[in-house]
Amino acid sequence: MRRWMLTLAGAGVLAGAVLVARGQGSLPVEGTGAGFEGASGWLNSAPLTAADLKGKVVLVDFWTYSCINCLRTMPYIRAWAEKYRAQGLVVVGVHSPEFRFEQSLANVQTAVQRLRIDFPVALDSSQAIWQAWGNRFWPAYYLLDGNGKIRYHQYGEGDYGRTEAAIQRLLAEAHGTAPTDHSLVRPEAKAEQSAPDLARLGSDETYLGYGKAERFHSPQPLRPDQPQRYSVSTLRLNQWGLAGNWLAGEEKIVAQEAGASIAYQFSARDLHLVLGPGAAGRPLRIQLTLDGEPPGADHGSDIDAAGMGLVDATRLYQLVRQGTRVGPRRCVIRFLDAGAEAYAFTFG
C-alpha cells in the first residue's frame, strides 16, 4: 500500500483524453465492481447498494484525508461530481485510512466539511472495501458502467483529462449516443490542493514513526516507545533529525517538551507535515524557520510570514510554499508547546 503521484502531464495526456472521448480508444471491461459491503458508516448518503446504482455511471474514489496526493485530486473529483451529476454520474468516495487517527468518525466528518465534499462517502475504517476491490494505492479511481462493470481505472494523481474523457464516454454509452461534450474541467485549487511543481521536486514522502522511518540522521537512533533526548547538526539532502525530548511511536513521534524540534533538509516548492495536537486536544503553537530565518513570503497556508502557526486538528499542514527560489533548504519546525504529534512529511 502506498500513496502514489503520477508524473504524466501536458499535451500527450490531453491528446490521449481526446482520443478516448471521440471513440478512437476503447474502454474494455476490466472486471466487476466489488460494491461497498463492509462500510462502517456513510456520510452524505444512506448506504448504497448495487441495486441503487443500477444504470448509473459510478466513479469510485479511494482516498484518505491526510494524503497529499488525495488532497490534490479532490478539486477534480468535486468538479466532476458537480458537472456530470445531472447526466447520471454518481461519485462515491471510499475513505480508507492509512493512520489510526483517520479511523475517527469525527476526524473524517471534519475533513469532509473542510474539503467541501457533498458526494457520498463510504467509511472503510477496517479497509474491508479496500481489500474486496484489491486496491493498493491512494488515490485510486475505478469507473463503472451501468451494469457495475469496471471500464477504467487510474492509480495516483494526474492524468485528469483522460479520466474525464472516460467519464464522458461512459455517460454517452449509457444514453445510447456518441460523446458530444469534450470540454474538461479546470477547477481552482489553492494551498495544499494545488498541483505539485514536478520539475523542481527533489524530496519524497518521509514517515517519522519508527515503523517506516527512513533517512533519520540524529546521532541517537530512534528509541521505540520510550522518551529520549535527541540532537541534530549537519543534514544532507532529504535527511531529517530531532532535537530535544521526543517519544517515537510506530507511526508518529510526540514532542515531550516545549522547544523540541524537527529539522529536514529538503528541495521542493512545497513542504507539508501531518501533525496533530495530541491527547490534550488543545491548539499547540509551532514556529518554522528556513535556513535559520522566518519564511517570509515562502510561508505555507498554515504558517504566517513570521513562521508562526497553530496545530488545532490532526491533518496535513502546508508549512512552506516557495516562489522562485527552490533548492536545498533546511526547514526547522520548533514546537512551542509539549504534546504535538508528527506523522509524515510530503512535498510538492
Side-chain angles (χ1 to χ4, degrees):
M1 299 181 293
R2 61 176 292 198
R3 308 178 189 216
W4 199 8
M5 176 174 64
L6 293 186
T7 59
L8 295 175
V13 172
L14 181 58
V18 172
L19 287 177
V20 172
R22 291 179 178 173
Q24 297 174 30
S26 62
L27 294 176
V29 174
E30 300 179 3
T32 301
F36 308 107
E37 290 186 16
S40 56
W42 286 79
L43 300 178
N44 299 333
S45 174
L48 295 175
T49 66
D52 297 321
L53 298 172
K54 180 72 173 177
K56 301 287 187 179
V57 175
V58 181
L59 178 66
V60 180
D61 172 30
F62 282 88
W63 69 293
T64 190
Y65 84 81
S66 77
C67 168
I68 184 61
N69 311 101
C70 300
L71 292 172
R72 289 193 293 236
T73 67
M74 196 55 67
Y76 289 87
I77 302 294
R78 289 195 307 259
W80 293 333
E82 179 179 355
K83 178 179 178 180
Y84 297 108
R85 183 176 288 128
Q87 300 179 44
L89 177 70
V90 177
V91 175
V92 179
V94 178
H95 187 270
S96 297
E98 178 179 21
F99 296 112
R100 280 188 285 274
F101 69 79
E102 293 171 313
Q103 298 174 358
S104 163
L105 174 60
N107 286 352
V108 181
Q109 287 174 320
T110 298
V112 166
Q113 182 177 12
R114 182 173 181 268
L115 296 171
R116 297 182 289 109
I117 295 171
D118 64 357
F119 50 80
V121 175
L123 302 177
D124 189 25
S125 298
S126 63
Q127 292 197 343
I129 303 173
W130 174 287
Q131 296 295 336
W133 284 74
N135 191 50
R136 293 293 179 270
F137 304 103
W138 293 281
Y141 320 136
Y142 299 90
L143 191 58
L144 280 60
D145 63 20
N147 296 313
K149 301 298 182 182
I150 301 172
R151 303 287 298 280
Y152 177 90
H153 72 274
Q154 163 76 27
Y155 298 142
E157 60 180 298
D159 222 351
Y160 302 113
R162 186 178 292 273
T163 300
E164 185 169 1
I167 292 171
Q168 295 169 351
R169 178 78 177 275
L170 283 188
L171 287 171
E173 180 180 296
H175 298 150
T177 62
T180 57
D181 178 8
H182 304 310
S183 66
L184 303 177
V185 299
R186 294 286 187 267
E188 181 181 12
K190 297 179 180 179
E192 75 278 6
Q193 295 183 56
S194 300
D197 184 350
L198 297 176
R200 298 187 290 178
L201 182 61
S203 294
D204 298 324
E205 182 173 35
T206 303
Y207 292 89
L208 305 183
Y210 66 78
K212 295 182 179 180
E214 294 180 311
R215 300 183 294 274
F216 178 67
H217 199 65
S218 284
Q220 306 80 15
L222 284 176
R223 186 180 185 185
D225 301 316
Q226 296 186 52
Q228 175 164 293
R229 185 163 294 279
Y230 297 89
S231 61
V232 60
S233 56
T234 303
L235 297 173
R236 294 181 179 178
L237 182 61
N238 295 326
Q239 291 180 337
W240 63 283
L242 300 174
N245 197 342
W246 288 87
L247 175 66
E250 183 177 8
E251 65 176 24
K252 64 184 177 183
I253 56 175
V254 185
Q256 300 295 287
E257 64 181 2
S261 63
I262 308 172
Y264 198 114
Q265 189 77 12
F266 78 104
S267 183
R269 185 194 65 193
D270 305 338
L271 178 146
H272 316 96
L273 181 56
V274 178
L275 294 166
R282 67 182 185 279
L284 303 177
R285 298 167 299 157
I286 61 174
Q287 183 177 30
L288 177 141
T289 59
L290 285 175
D291 300 329
E293 301 291 338
D298 290 335
H299 70 90
S301 59
D302 292 300
I303 292 287
D304 64 21
M308 302 301 296
L310 277 181
V311 178
D312 56 3
T314 308
R315 62 176 178 86
L316 181 141
Y317 289 79
Q318 186 185 77
L319 304 185
V320 176
R321 162 56 67 85
Q322 300 186 85
T324 58
R325 179 184 177 184
V326 176
R329 305 193 72 179
R330 185 184 179 107
C331 175
V332 176
I333 304 101
R334 185 166 175 257
F335 295 83
L336 304 184
D337 303 296
E341 300 173 341
Y343 291 82
F345 283 97
T346 58
F347 303 91

